[in-house]
């Protein structure tokens, strides 16, 4: 079973800054099936990135994904106030595996 | 537009069962696997299993084997998740979600299940 470990657990930044979130897998993950989600309180997760680097429909281009094998990264180039939320990476296919999440908070 | 609409909140006693529904619209229901994911209060996302709406075939996470049953009714484009022998740590928001090669692109609004004596 693949385990996804996200770091850091909490990231404190200011609007306008750049955010870099990491997701490390316990074994190699097909890049085709690595996704990132944003979740705000009381809401379902929202798909941001799929296939490690493809933006989902309607996602602003300040969000980008990269990586392969066991190391993946979500980058938010310039934080907007609405970007402060919890972010999850996910491996998907016949089953789903989620990282434990990174909380992005306002500094 | 694609929508997944779930049934309302439930309060159950320990040992009881709960059945959550997820009505799909805006796409061909039988064309995509439906997964179920839960989230305990303040915690992360946990995969429970999936159903193939076309064949009815299921795959369950090992943790829930023997306690979860996923079914569907294609005539009304609805998927169901039943969890039995409820415990207090089953208190969570339960989501249905459509998974494609482009990720988990649509989620239901979530159903809060509270297990309390």
């Amino acid at each position: 079973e693949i385990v996804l470990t996200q770091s850091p657990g909490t990231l404190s930044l200011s609007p306008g800054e750049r955010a870099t979130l990491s997701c490390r897998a316990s074994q190699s993950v097909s890049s085709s099936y690595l996704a990132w989600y944003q979740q705000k309180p009381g809401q379902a997760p929202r798909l941001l990135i799929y296939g490690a680097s493809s933006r989902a429909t309607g996602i602003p281009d300040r969000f980008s994904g990269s990586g392969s094998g066991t190391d993946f990264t979500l980058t938010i180039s310039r934080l907007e106030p609405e970007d402060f939320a919890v972010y999850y990476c996910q491996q998907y296919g016949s089953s789903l595996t989620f990282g434990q999440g990174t909380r992005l908070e306002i500094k | 537009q694609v929508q997944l609409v779930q049934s309302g909140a439930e309060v159950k006693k320990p040992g009881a069962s709960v059945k959550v529904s997820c009505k799909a619209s805006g796409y061909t229901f039988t064309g995509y696997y439906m997964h179920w994911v839960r989230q305990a209060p303040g915690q992360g996302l946990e995969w429970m299993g999936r159903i193939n709406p076309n064949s009815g075939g299921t795959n369950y996470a090992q943790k829930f084997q023997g306690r979860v049953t996923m079914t569907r009714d294609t005539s009304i484009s609805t998927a169901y998740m039943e969890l039995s022998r409820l415990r207090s740590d089953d208190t969570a928001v339960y989501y249905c979600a459509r998974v494609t090669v482009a990720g988990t692109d649509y989620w239901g609004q979530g159903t809060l299940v509270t297990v309390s004596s």
Side-chain angles (χ1 to χ4, degrees):
Chain A
E1 179 187 335
I2 294 175
V3 175
L4 299 178
T5 302
Q6 294 185 238
S7 61
T10 302
L11 186 56
S12 299
L13 293 170
S14 301
E17 291 193 291
R18 181 185 186 91
T20 303
L21 287 67
S22 174
C23 176
R24 178 161 290 177
S26 59
Q27 57 187 277
S28 185
V29 172
S30 168
S31 297
S32 299
Y33 299 106
L34 193 287
W36 289 91
Y37 299 83
Q38 176 193 70
Q39 189 178 33
K40 296 181 179 179
Q43 296 183 15
R46 172 194 181 197
L47 176 65
L48 299 174
I49 301 288
Y50 66 93
S53 60
S54 298
R55 270 187 302 277
T57 302
I59 301 304
D61 61 7
R62 64 180 181 273
F63 290 92
S64 63
S66 63
S68 64
T70 60
D71 289 294
F72 298 88
T73 301
L74 174 70
T75 301
I76 311 171
S77 59
R78 294 172 310 280
L79 285 166
E80 298 287 341
E82 63 267 27
D83 297 337
F84 292 91
V86 179
Y87 292 82
Y88 294 95
C89 60
Q90 177 208 50
Q91 175 270 140
Y92 61 99
S94 58
S95 66
L96 308 180
T97 305
F98 295 92
Q100 82 280 17
T102 290
R103 179 176 304 277
L104 179 56
E105 64 177 27
I106 299 177
K107 187 173 182 179
Chain B
Q1 73 284 20
V2 174
Q3 280 193 302
L4 301 176
V5 179
Q6 298 183 221
S7 49
E10 303 262 14
V11 179
K12 296 291 183 181
K13 293 193 183 303
S17 297
V18 68
K19 190 171 185 177
V20 179
S21 68
C22 171
K23 182 170 178 60
S25 61
Y27 73 100
T28 302
F29 176 66
T30 52
Y32 300 91
Y33 279 90
M34 191 72 77
H35 293 241
W36 290 86
V37 174
R38 78 177 187 179
Q39 186 169 37
Q43 302 302 308
L45 300 161
E46 181 176 33
W47 181 72
M48 299 181 69
R50 70 171 186 172
I51 184 167
N52 178 338
N54 189 40
S55 67
T58 55
N59 301 100
Y60 301 138
Q62 190 166 7
K63 175 177 179 176
F64 299 101
Q65 288 273 5
R67 279 211 305 145
V68 70
T69 305
M70 296 177 187
T71 57
R72 91 293 189 217
D73 184 338
T74 57
S75 68
I76 55 172
S77 300
T78 299
Y80 302 92
M81 186 285 299
E82 184 170 21
L83 189 63
S84 63
R85 303 194 300 279
L86 289 168
R87 307 185 293 254
S88 57
D89 61 358
D90 290 318
T91 294
V93 175
Y94 290 76
Y95 293 102
C96 59
R98 188 182 87 161
V99 177
T100 75
V101 293
T104 312
D105 56 357
Y106 287 96
W107 298 70
Q109 82 277 18
T111 296
L112 175 62
V113 176
T114 302
V115 183
S116 174
S117 55

